[in-house]
């Protein structure tokens, strides 16, 4: 049975799951939960996602929400965890610890600040809502310092968890694109090693296939 992503094709978190499907050649269908029409707040969707957000998946009767947890599940179920497998083999404790560290970096030092910038510069204007330049300024200042940390890491290794690509790198793609292309913020482009890494991950065919819609 085909994997179903209950999501909104253009939403960042839906595309986060879709890019991993593409990387692993997992066929999927999108059952649209229309965010503009408020379908994510319907009782039917709240049964799947108690917080009223997208995406969720249904996989042969198995249901899951939280995009990063979904990506981990997809690699473990359909991929080949190991040095070339987007996530380490769980029996490799040190590689797994490095991977979890990288995933925590994205979650704690990138996601919120990039999301705030994207929300104020791209998402709210798209919806015709007013924006707050102070929020953009505050979060850009914080993200600048965070990306200096990224530069220190990426000057020593190719990717965030070491020298092999993992889903922790791919997690950055949706909001990385929103701040770079949408908000025209140059933080991912002006630091040499961050720029090398960003160009590498954002030019992958899997991302090119879903970057404008899952
Ligand atoms: N941590 C959640 C976040 C999900 C999330 O924020 N989804 C957004 C789209 S990217 C959403 O559903 N927004 C609708 C809203 O906030 O009303 C995940 O990664 O799945």
């Amino acid at each position: 049975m085909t994997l179903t992503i209950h999501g909104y094709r253009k939403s960042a978190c839906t595309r986060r799951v879709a890019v991993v499907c593409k990387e692993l050649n997992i066929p999927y269908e999108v059952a649209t939960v229309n965010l503009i029409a408020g379908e994510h707040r319907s009782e039917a969707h709240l049964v799947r996602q108690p917080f009223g957000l997208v995406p969720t998946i249904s996989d042969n009767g198995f249901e899951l929400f939280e995009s990063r947890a979904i990506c981990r599940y997809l690699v473990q179920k359909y991929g080949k965890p190991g040095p070339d497998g987007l996530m380490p083999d769980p029996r490799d404790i040190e590689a797994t610890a490095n991977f979890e560290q990288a995933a925590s970096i994205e979650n704690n030092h990138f996601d919120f600040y990039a999301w705030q910038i994207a929300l104020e510069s791209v998402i709210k204007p798209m919806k015709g809502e007013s924006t707050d330049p102070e929020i953009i300024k505050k979060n850009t200042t914080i993200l600048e310092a965070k990306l200096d940390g990224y530069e220190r890491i990426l000057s020593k290794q190719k990717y965030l968890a070491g020298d092999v690509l993992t889903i922790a790198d791919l997690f950055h793609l949706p909001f990385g694109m929103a701040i770079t292309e949408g908000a025209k913020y140059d933080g991912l482009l002006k630091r040499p090693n961050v720029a090398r890494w960003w160009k590498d991950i954002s030019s992958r065919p899997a991302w090119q296939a879903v970057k404008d819609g899952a």
Side-chain angles (χ1 to χ4, degrees), residues 71-89:
C71 294
R72 284 171 165 86
Y73 163 80
L74 293 174
V75 176
Q76 277 165 348
K77 177 146 188 207
Y78 295 103
K80 221 169 123 206
D84 303 316
L86 295 182
M87 251 173 83
D89 181 333

Side-chain angles (χ1 to χ4, degrees), residues 11-14 16 35 40-41 52-55 66-68 175:
S11 93
C13 308
T14 302
R16 183 175 292 123
L35 296 183
H40 52 307
R41 291 187 286 269
L53 299 167
V54 295
E66 281 296 331
S67 62
R68 295 166 184 83
F175 287 132

